Amino acid sequence: MTKKLLEERGFFWWHDDPLPANQFAADSCVVGTLTIEENGAAYLELDGYFAGSEGGPMAIFAAQGQQFSLEKAIQGKLKASDKNVLLLGLRRRGGRFNSNGISHEGFAASHCLVTDGSFPPATRPLRFSALEVKLTGLEEWLRLGNIEVKRARRRISAKHQVPSADIHELDDGTLTMRYDISGPWTGKLVRRMDKLNLSESANLRFKPKRARTLLEMRDEYARLQELFILLTGTTFSLEWPLLIIGKTAYRYYYDGFERSTKAPTWDECWVNYIQVKSNFGAIVTALRRKREEFGPGFYLYLGIRRGMKMYVEHRFVNMIWGLESFHRRKNKDKAKKTKLDAKIQRILDQVSGSDDKRWLEGQLKHAGEPSLKERLMDVLSALPLAFERTRMEVFCKSCADRRNDMSHFGGQREGSDYREFAVDLVKKSEALAYLYHAVLLHEIGVDATLIKASLLENGPNASRSKYAFREVGLLPVTNGDGLLLDE
């Protein structure tokens, strides 16, 4: 059963309907129930229909699935929490036309803002000055632990000094890490309390140089989510963000991927905040810029890290496509003439007929490009992991062969066993996932020594990655005494 973040009754009306002075709702309001699900999807079921709807109640029957522009919004006032809501990215969903009973309509919203404050008038476009995310669940990645506890025989004391904020400069704004501590707000004596809880926390605030639209802020939040996927190596989902206009904060929900609530432990993280703190702003800037530059070279990997279930063939080929795309875009300005290019030109020069020459040019247009094996070698050999070149060549060729089997034979070749084929793909996919992840970390500026330590040296998860590399031959197999077994 889908978990609900909010389910509450209230009054709802079109955002551009006039709101009389000293009233909390427009005269045109209709009672309804707003539901926000865990994945950010919002649904509104009205007990009636908006009188101003074009076509009246018949619109419910005639326009199922109708989509509205982002500017067309529904505002609401919730009964129990007294919060104000704004629903955007609307489409009609559900409802019923009944000539002898109650007609009612429903909507789904791609975006929902919830606040204790008020919304700008419908005539003024929404522009947000900042985005803030509470990093609940990332305490171990942050390496929080500044509470000093002293205990004597008959006395225990706790002392904490909130660290100063870390301000990271970006190319178009600032990213500020602010720290806090929560505990009871009491005097010196805490009566009738058998527990005293102190909890450190941190908020990350992005403040751009210019105000951003709702969709731009959604993209900024998504980039932060991707940043933490790369740095922690987990699919943990950030809390829903606050969007800021002046002194008013709006909790923002939007319809997206399923969310993971399993917080990363310190030993799962590829790198922690302390390790990248000195160049955190540069890493964030690089991720935003490189994602635009490389496109599918970045998001084909990040897409498989969002908790989506997929067949092993799909996972494997997505990573191969992504690495191939990464190589093409990284080397698009480095094209050079090869011996094969010269040979192709000599052949073309010998063709006299213009039509035949034009046809042959088209057929040989991509003949001089690097093979898939060569592209994989170029990308993966650039990593600071120092694998033996021969082992890397064998691995890249076997990955290219598997991709070609899937593209040209629909999977395993005729006569081969599917179970063996699938097991081989799983092993290759595990190794590729570690390598692809390392490629992206390296590209956005994470120190090479940190990447190598995480995968091959003293990183807490290095045993897992080294096992995956041994399974595909990138590392030699050894026995308990360190003797090589595959030589």
Side-chain angles (χ1 to χ4, degrees), residues 174-439:
T174 57
L175 201 60
T176 304
M177 187 78 75
R178 298 185 186 277
Y179 302 93
D180 199 2
I181 186 169
S182 60
W185 294 93
T186 60
K188 287 186 177 181
L189 296 179
V190 182
R191 301 189 184 278
R192 290 180 299 185
M193 182 182 292
D194 60 355
K195 290 183 180 180
L196 178 63
N197 293 321
L198 300 176
S199 179
E200 291 181 272
S201 61
N203 285 17
L204 192 60
R205 173 177 281 217
F206 168 62
K207 185 173 178 58
K209 291 180 179 177
R210 63 168 181 83
R212 300 292 178 87
T213 66
L214 184 68
L215 295 182
E216 287 174 327
M217 282 303 195
R218 179 197 62 184
D219 291 343
E220 293 294 348
Y221 174 72
R223 297 297 82 77
L224 287 178
Q225 182 68 73
E226 292 172 350
L227 172 72
F228 286 102
I229 287 175
L230 289 176
L231 296 182
T232 68
T234 69
T235 58
F236 176 69
S237 300
L238 298 174
E239 280 199 4
W240 292 104
L242 291 174
L243 304 185
I244 314 297
I245 299 178
K247 295 183 178 181
T248 304
Y250 304 88
R251 182 69 66 188
Y252 175 40
Y253 305 94
Y254 68 91
D255 191 2
F257 293 98
E258 295 299 322
R259 299 173 65 80
S260 169
T261 57
K262 184 184 178 301
T265 56
W266 69 271
D267 57 324
E268 290 179 302
C269 298
W270 281 56
V271 293
N272 61 58
Y273 179 58
I274 303 302
Q275 292 172 319
V276 297
K277 182 177 176 179
S278 61
N279 64 330
F280 190 65
I283 288 172
V284 175
T285 295
L287 173 60
R288 296 164 70 201
R289 179 167 52 83
K290 298 279 186 175
R291 195 184 188 283
E292 291 300 315
E293 179 183 350
F294 290 102
F298 265 67
Y299 60 69
L300 279 174
Y301 174 74
L302 292 166
I304 69 172
R305 296 304 309 272
R306 292 185 177 273
M308 298 174 64
K309 294 181 179 180
M310 57 180 66
Y311 290 108
V312 61
E313 291 93 340
H314 191 187
R315 182 172 183 244
F316 173 78
V317 79
N318 259 30
M319 287 190 284
I320 296 295
W321 285 336
L323 289 167
E324 183 180 17
S325 173
F326 182 91
H327 182 273
R328 286 182 182 277
R329 295 209 180 186
K330 193 171 182 66
N331 295 276
K332 62 182 178 181
D333 299 324
K334 299 179 182 178
K336 58 182 180 181
K337 289 288 184 180
T338 65
K339 291 182 179 179
L340 182 57
D341 290 321
K343 183 176 182 178
I344 291 171
Q345 190 58 52
R346 287 197 305 273
I347 294 172
L348 288 172
D349 290 341
Q350 296 174 32
V351 178
S352 56
S354 59
D355 289 344
D356 291 343
K357 188 171 185 176
R358 188 162 47 249
W359 174 83
L360 188 57
E361 281 180 335
Q363 294 297 308
L364 299 177
K365 183 177 180 180
H366 301 293
E369 290 188 356
S371 67
L372 177 57
K373 176 219 169 185
E374 291 169 332
R375 292 187 189 280
L376 294 175
M377 274 294 295
D378 283 350
V379 173
L380 301 182
S381 297
L383 288 171
L385 301 179
F387 289 117
E388 293 177 22
R389 184 169 183 83
T390 302
R391 290 181 180 276
M392 180 60 79
E393 285 181 340
V394 171
F395 174 69
C396 291
K397 183 179 186 306
S398 66
C399 286
D401 289 344
R402 280 301 188 216
R403 198 291 304 268
N404 292 336
D405 287 346
M406 293 169 64
S407 296
H408 303 299
F409 297 93
Q412 78 273 26
R413 296 194 180 219
E414 187 176 350
S416 61
D417 181 72
Y418 177 76
R419 184 178 180 280
E420 292 180 1
F421 172 80
V423 169
D424 183 60
L425 275 190
V426 169
K427 292 178 180 180
K428 285 180 167 56
S429 296
E430 286 301 302
L432 274 176
Y434 282 113
L435 295 170
Y436 202 159
H437 197 124
V439 165

Side-chain angles (χ1 to χ4, degrees), residues 6-302:
L6 182 149
E7 186 172 29
E8 197 168 336
R9 301 275 287 168
F11 291 108
F12 301 90
W13 62 95
W14 291 117
H15 183 42
D16 53 6
D17 286 353
L19 185 63
N22 301 319
Q23 286 190 201
F24 61 81
D27 291 336
S28 57
C29 67
V30 178
V31 175
T33 301
L34 173 65
T35 303
I36 303 177
E37 297 187 347
E38 190 175 28
N39 66 353
Y43 303 106
L44 174 62
E45 183 178 344
L46 297 175
D47 291 353
Y49 64 92
F50 292 136
S53 296
E54 185 177 346
M58 285 297 293
I60 304 165
F61 178 77
Q64 280 298 310
Q66 176 190 3
Q67 294 188 335
F68 298 83
S69 68
L70 193 61
E71 291 74 25
K72 187 66 172 176
I74 293 174
Q75 189 172 338
K77 182 74 169 181
L78 301 181
K79 177 183 177 181
S81 64
D82 203 37
K83 292 185 180 296
N84 298 303
V85 299
L86 193 67
L87 306 174
L88 307 100
L90 301 167
R91 69 180 185 278
R92 292 190 184 276
R93 177 182 182 271
R96 182 180 66 178
F97 170 70
N98 191 334
S99 59
N100 295 312
I102 298 175
S103 296
H104 58 92
E105 61 183 337
F107 297 87
S110 300
H111 310 271
C112 181
L113 297 170
V114 182
T115 183
D116 292 320
S118 59
F119 293 102
T123 54
R124 189 192 310 166
L126 287 170
R127 294 290 185 272
F128 302 94
S129 58
L131 176 152
E132 187 170 299
V133 183
K134 189 172 183 179
L135 300 183
T136 304
L138 290 168
E139 292 81 8
E140 294 194 30
W141 174 81
L142 288 160
R143 287 297 195 267
L144 296 180
N146 296 309
I147 301 175
E148 179 184 338
V149 179
K150 291 184 179 181
R151 181 163 192 160
R153 183 177 178 183
R154 302 184 65 182
R155 180 184 180 90
I156 185 169
S157 64
K159 180 181 178 181
H160 174 75
Q161 183 173 350
V162 177
S164 300
D166 303 327
I167 301 176
H168 304 284
E169 296 294 334
L170 307 182
D171 55 351
D172 61 348
T174 57
L175 201 60
T176 304
M177 187 78 75
R178 298 185 186 277
Y179 302 93
D180 199 2
I181 186 169
S182 60
W185 294 93
T186 60
K188 287 186 177 181
L189 296 179
V190 182
R191 301 189 184 278
R192 290 180 299 185
M193 182 182 292
D194 60 355
K195 290 183 180 180
L196 178 63
N197 293 321
L198 300 176
S199 179
E200 291 181 272
S201 61
N203 285 17
L204 192 60
R205 173 177 281 217
F206 168 62
K207 185 173 178 58
K209 291 180 179 177
R210 63 168 181 83
R212 300 292 178 87
T213 66
L214 184 68
L215 295 182
E216 287 174 327
M217 282 303 195
R218 179 197 62 184
D219 291 343
E220 293 294 348
Y221 174 72
R223 297 297 82 77
L224 287 178
Q225 182 68 73
E226 292 172 350
L227 172 72
F228 286 102
I229 287 175
L230 289 176
L231 296 182
T232 68
T234 69
T235 58
F236 176 69
S237 300
L238 298 174
E239 280 199 4
W240 292 104
L242 291 174
L243 304 185
I244 314 297
I245 299 178
K247 295 183 178 181
T248 304
Y250 304 88
R251 182 69 66 188
Y252 175 40
Y253 305 94
Y254 68 91
D255 191 2
F257 293 98
E258 295 299 322
R259 299 173 65 80
S260 169
T261 57
K262 184 184 178 301
T265 56
W266 69 271
D267 57 324
E268 290 179 302
C269 298
W270 281 56
V271 293
N272 61 58
Y273 179 58
I274 303 302
Q275 292 172 319
V276 297
K277 182 177 176 179
S278 61
N279 64 330
F280 190 65
I283 288 172
V284 175
T285 295
L287 173 60
R288 296 164 70 201
R289 179 167 52 83
K290 298 279 186 175
R291 195 184 188 283
E292 291 300 315
E293 179 183 350
F294 290 102
F298 265 67
Y299 60 69
L300 279 174
Y301 174 74
L302 292 166

